[in-house]
Amino acid sequence: MTEPRIKPTLCLLCIVALAISLSSLSSPVWASQPKTISNAVVNYPVQADVSAPLSSYAAEPIALSSQAHAPLKPKLQQLNAMGTTAGQPLQSPVGLAGATVGLNFEGISGDPGSPATVNCPVVSGVQLAPPDTNAAIGDTQIVQWVNICYSVYDKATGNLIAGPLPGNHFWAGFTGNVCSFRNDGDIIIQWDKANHVWVAAQNVFNPWLTCIAVSKTADATAAYNRYAFTQPGFPDYPKWGLTSSIYYQTQNDFGPAGNGYVGVNICAYDAVAMRAGKKNAKQVCILDNSNGTLFDDSMLPADTDSGSGGGGSEVLVGSIDNFNLGSNVYQYVLTVNMKKGTATLAGTNGSMPIAVPTYSLACGGGACIQQPSPGSELLDSLGDRLMYRLALFDDGTTQHYLVTHSVNDGVAVGARWYEFTAPEGSTTLSLAQGGQTPADGHYRWMGSIARDKFGDIALGYSRSSSAAGDYPSIYVSGQTAGEPAGMTDSEVLVKQGSGSQFFTGTRWGDYSSMALDGADQCTFLYTTEYYPFDGNFQWYTWLAAVKFPSCP
């Protein structure tokens, strides 16, 4: 959620909390008229260019950030003050074992001793954590990006095409700009399904910048339109949602000095102009300080998996860390006029709550995930926020929004998920269903979720416990289309871990990634980390294609 952390790093306070049971589902409850702000700021690139094919550039040297720090939690003091909340264990219905795993292969590793073909330290010269693992799947290629390295794979075979390369290679030859040599992390790789181009984004921490590269073709190793835009303060934990005409970015802003949370900075980028390589492509941003209360934080913009999306209004969700007995997910709507450079954000200060089954934040928002190896560290659940992505699937009649987060389940930690829906053309979300993994003593966290064209839901996550041999491993669950609302399928093992993590500042992932293949709209790609042996800063990653029976 921040720039790369260099070994060794800081440990976080562990806060253990208990869960409460699932209540009935309900529709949006808006206590009053949603509050709005319209303090939009328009910026233009401080630099823009069109690259040669990336394959023609030598790798730039990496200048590591001096801003290494523990995770930034906007409401850390409040979370500590709230303490733990006891509740009844959740009795979650278990459905079919619907998902099957197809293409299954090793991704980038942070271990200097791993094979050179997937070894990031060979490129970077350092060991860093966490990997911030994410990936996207294009027409013929898969791109995986960890905190400071990326690789390109053949979509059909999983064979390596290029990499690992330093993340700043997307801006190689971006003369005179720090995007070309800084590798500060919090990275996102996306595939624009409507326009068949890659979108790579990475922030720079001091000076505060957003670096964006949009490919000119479907080939991730070819030429890109590159941009550098300013940010007003420390832009932590950026997340992206794409539509055909506007690319949306959110980040928790910790101020010009980087030492205190000041609000969510929500930015919209003129995707049409960026794909055309125009040097005057606009960035339109609104800084939401919740009218001074700082209620709003950690927003996820909707990311379009079908259709073109857009139209100038973007749905966002977030701000679950305000109460330790949570009963809402908070919705926001950003409406942008890119031509005029104006924007309005509705729902500020938590004024558009959507009632959901009651939850208690996993680990009180901190670290409590257990591992089996004696002396291994408790891992950070990042239970204070919703997990990337807010996946949007538009079936032509109904818009389906999927998101997940980690909650206490009475005995350990579970992966909670929601499906929100809205009629075609509407931005008013209702809770269609919510589900959760079983309360069986295993810890399930750091999930990511998406939906296919048949209505199948794929939920990936890490699972661990203190039981012998229950090392952090990669699982997929979800819901098979046609099952009763709230049903969560039996989990399927994707990759068995064989080791625990030690002395890595409690950091595990910060996020994982469930992507949907835009070509068939029914193949999912999941990626996250694991350890093949006990170690510290020696994470490995894995990629797996997942399908349900409805997918041919």
Side-chain angles (χ1 to χ4, degrees):
M1 65 197 285
T2 59
E3 79 290 344
R5 269 60 63 184
I6 307 172
K7 178 181 179 180
T9 186
L10 300 176
C11 291
L12 285 183
L13 179 65
C14 174
I15 309 168
V16 182
L18 300 176
I20 82 169
S21 60
L22 200 61
S23 62
S24 60
L25 308 182
S26 56
S27 298
V29 179
W30 296 348
S32 60
Q33 191 69 17
K35 296 180 175 66
T36 63
I37 57 174
S38 55
N39 57 328
V41 176
V42 178
N43 293 305
Y44 293 91
V46 295
Q47 188 170 335
D49 79 351
V50 180
S51 76
L54 293 189
S55 57
S56 68
Y57 289 102
E60 295 276 358
I62 295 175
L64 294 171
S65 173
S66 61
Q67 289 278 337
H69 61 275
L72 298 181
K73 298 179 186 290
K75 297 186 177 71
L76 181 59
Q77 288 183 323
Q78 294 94 319
L79 293 174
N80 290 346
M82 283 190 291
T84 61
T85 302
Q88 296 299 314
L90 171 68
Q91 300 301 321
S92 181
V94 178
L96 305 171
T100 58
V101 179
L103 188 66
N104 209 17
F105 61 98
E106 193 83 57
I108 299 170
S109 166
D111 176 20
S114 64
T117 54
V118 292
N119 188 329
C120 185
V122 165
V123 174
S124 65
V126 295
Q127 289 177 259
L128 302 174
D132 291 351
T133 317
N134 70 119
I137 182 167
D139 288 339
T140 62
Q141 298 170 335
I142 291 169
V143 178
Q144 184 196 36
W145 199 357
V146 302
N147 226 330
I148 58 168
C149 293
Y150 76 94
S151 287
V152 182
Y153 304 91
D154 181 85
K155 173 177 165 178
T157 64
N159 292 336
L160 186 67
I161 295 174
L165 292 161
N168 56 298
H169 192 70
F170 283 111
W171 297 273
F174 202 42
T175 307
N177 193 280
V178 295
C179 292
S180 68
F181 63 87
R182 285 285 286 276
N183 228 353
D184 286 356
D186 270 359
I187 40 74
I188 294 291
I189 184 69
Q190 284 274 36
W191 173 251
D192 179 341
K193 298 176 178 64
N195 297 289
H196 302 269
V197 295
W198 299 97
V199 180
Q202 175 171 240
N203 282 354
V204 172
F205 304 125
N206 198 12
W208 318 124
L209 291 174
T210 292
C211 310
I212 307 171
V214 181
S215 68
K216 296 181 69 64
T217 70
D219 182 359
T221 69
Y224 283 74
N225 300 316
R226 283 109 55 101
Y227 298 88
F229 291 91
T230 59
Q231 291 288 341
F234 195 131
D236 191 50
Y237 207 71
K239 295 295 171 283
W240 288 78
L242 306 190
T243 70
S244 62
S245 58
I246 300 177
Y247 299 153
Y248 296 93
Q249 176 198 30
T250 61
Q251 48 253 305
N252 292 326
D253 188 326
F254 282 81
N259 59 2
Y261 178 62
V262 299
V264 185
N265 199 35
I266 308 164
C267 296
Y269 297 86
D270 188 341
V272 177
M274 294 173 78
R275 289 193 299 271
K278 293 184 178 180
K279 294 187 176 182
N280 63 345
K282 289 178 182 174
Q283 175 204 57
V284 180
C285 298
I286 282 183
L287 181 61
D288 173 16
N289 75 345
S290 316
N291 299 312
T293 69
L294 301 181
F295 183 98
D296 305 331
D297 66 69
S298 304
M299 294 182 191
L300 293 177
D303 186 41
T304 306
D305 277 342
S306 67
S308 61
S313 290
E314 171 76 351
V315 169
L316 309 96
V317 295
S319 309
I320 65 169
D321 57 347
N322 287 287
F323 305 99
N324 206 6
L325 270 183
S327 56
N328 294 302
V329 167
Y330 295 91
Q331 179 189 343
Y332 308 85
V333 178
L334 180 71
T335 302
V336 179
N337 185 319
M338 191 60 70
K339 184 176 181 179
K340 295 182 178 179
T342 60
T344 299
L345 180 68
T348 59
N349 202 25
S351 59
M352 291 172 63
I354 306 174
V356 299
T358 306
Y359 58 84
S360 175
L361 303 179
C363 312
C368 73
I369 306 298
Q370 297 184 8
Q371 303 179 91
S373 301
S376 56
E377 64 186 350
L378 297 173
L379 302 175
D380 192 344
S381 67
L382 261 68
D384 67 324
R385 64 199 65 200
L386 299 169
M387 288 282 99
Y388 175 75
R389 299 175 297 138
L390 175 60
L392 168 58
F393 194 97
D394 188 337
D395 65 14
T397 302
T398 303
Q399 301 169 83
H400 304 262
Y401 297 82
L402 284 299
V403 74
T404 183
H405 65 123
S406 301
V407 299
N408 292 308
D409 64 14
V411 288
V413 165
R416 169 77 70 86
W417 60 271
Y418 308 110
E419 180 183 12
F420 303 112
T421 56
E424 183 75 14
S426 171
T427 56
T428 302
L429 270 56
S430 296
L431 180 62
Q433 60 169 331
Q436 193 169 312
T437 52
D440 56 8
H442 296 290
Y443 292 76
R444 297 173 175 90
W445 82 106
M446 208 64 68
S448 187
I449 191 170
R451 179 193 190 273
D452 69 17
K453 65 182 179 182
F454 301 107
D456 303 301
I457 296 170
L459 170 66
Y461 48 81
S462 295
R463 194 195 89 175
S464 180
S465 76
S466 62
D470 193 16
Y471 299 103
S473 300
I474 304 171
Y475 285 84
V476 170
S477 180
Q479 186 183 84
T480 303
E483 290 182 325
M487 190 75 74
T488 302
D489 285 345
S490 299
E491 62 192 10
V492 175
L493 177 65
V494 172
K495 178 63 177 177
Q496 178 68 52
S498 303
S500 300
Q501 178 174 281
F502 288 72
F503 312 121
T504 311
T506 76
R507 308 306 302 284
W508 185 271
D510 283 4
Y511 43 98
S512 65
S513 172
M514 181 70 76
L516 181 68
D517 188 344
D520 63 13
Q521 295 188 340
C522 68
T523 301
F524 300 97
L525 178 74
Y526 186 60
T527 186
T528 191
E529 69 172 287
Y530 75 102
Y531 273 69
F533 45 76
D534 286 350
N536 66 329
F537 290 84
Q538 293 168 289
W539 45 263
Y540 284 61
T541 66
W542 197 259
L543 299 100
V546 177
K547 293 185 178 183
F548 284 78
S550 54
C551 187

